[in-house]
Amino acid sequence: MEFRRQLVECMASLVSQGLMTGTGGNASVRLKGGNEVLITPSGVYKASLKPEDIVKIDLEGNIVEGAHRPSIEWHFHAAIYRKRADAMAVLHAHSPYTTGLALAGRRVEPVTIEAVMLLGDVPIIEFMYPGTDELGDAVGNAMMGHKAAILLNHGVVTAGRDLAEAITIAEVLEATSKITFVASHFGGARLIPPDRIELIKKLNKV
Ligand SMILES: [Zn+2]
């Protein structure tokens, strides 16, 4: 029940922070053993989920336990878990600043130490229809060696060793985009110089 409660709290928190709407966004946690996942349901308002609404599926999308259908984006959740043994949680949000900057052709840049340490390079995936194997494969490939990816015209995906890490990455990504957005209105952001970035990475073993 602990993971189910974490998923419910995660969705409510992301809605209240404006990183997703009540209908857009989903999260999952991989269970011990590696082949089963707890995931948020499809078609249930995300801000008022209950632990019993969470669905258990296998990595092929079959329902193991639950009264609802799994999120239609189970494809990319499963693709990340299949490709990355270290990933134990996956999060998808419709973060408006990050999505908007990507639409304008802006990449995530090293504007803060948090961005350097927690995000690194964030790939952008071309628009693909939600809930498809095609998007699943593209996200699975993009997330190899990356903590987050941006889905063009759609939102963001993050992965972590646990749900807290996946949430933190999504929050830092959106905060980074807000800072970039503010700076862009006053002539653009002064980035951390490349040699300092290397030093930050070395000191923090990133
Ligand atoms: Zn979505």
Side-chain angles (χ1 to χ4, degrees), residues 24-26 73 92 94 154:
N26 37 72
E73 301 295 13
H92 166 54
H94 289 179
H154 187 171

Side-chain angles (χ1 to χ4, degrees), residues 3 47 50 62-63 96 119 129 140 143 174 206:
F3 282 147
K50 292 188 279 301
N62 300 305
I63 298 174
L119 302 178
Y129 206 73
M143 289 294 284
E174 186 68 348
V206 176

Side-chain angles (χ1 to χ4, degrees), residues 24-153:
N26 37 72
S28 68
V29 173
R30 188 193 336 227
L31 296 170
K32 221 171 167 185
N35 293 320
E36 289 184 338
V37 168
L38 289 173
I39 189 165
T40 51
S42 172
V44 182
Y45 188 67
K46 301 300 184 300
S48 53
L49 282 180
K50 292 188 279 301
E52 55 269 32
D53 292 327
I54 302 299
V55 188
K56 190 194 284 186
I57 60 169
D58 63 21
L59 294 186
E60 279 73 50
N62 300 305
I63 298 174
V64 177
E65 193 185 307
H68 298 288
R69 284 174 294 118
S71 164
I72 63 159
E73 301 295 13
W74 69 264
H75 301 262
F76 66 64
H77 289 254
I80 293 169
Y81 292 129
R82 280 197 297 267
K83 284 177 180 286
R84 278 188 41 190
D86 66 305
M88 295 306 284
V90 173
L91 180 64
H92 166 54
H94 289 179
S95 316
Y97 284 84
T98 306
T99 308
L101 285 181
L103 287 178
R106 298 288 295 262
R107 306 275 312 193
V108 174
E109 294 181 306
V111 293
T112 62
I113 289 176
E114 259 192 327
V116 172
M117 285 175 51
L118 288 168
L119 302 178
D121 179 47
V122 179
I124 298 174
I125 301 167
E126 289 301 311
F127 177 76
M128 289 176 198
Y129 206 73
T132 58
D133 273 334
E134 183 194 27
L135 179 61
D137 289 342
V139 173
N141 291 332
M143 289 294 284
M144 293 290 288
H146 296 280
K147 294 177 177 180
I150 298 168
L151 316 182
L152 214 51
N153 308 95

Side-chain angles (χ1 to χ4, degrees), residues 4 11 26 29 33 43 61-62 72 95 115 117 145 177 180 184 200-201:
R4 291 171 190 266
M11 291 287 98
N26 37 72
V29 173
N62 300 305
I72 63 159
S95 316
M117 285 175 51
S177 297
T180 304
S184 73
I200 291 167
K201 285 183 174 173

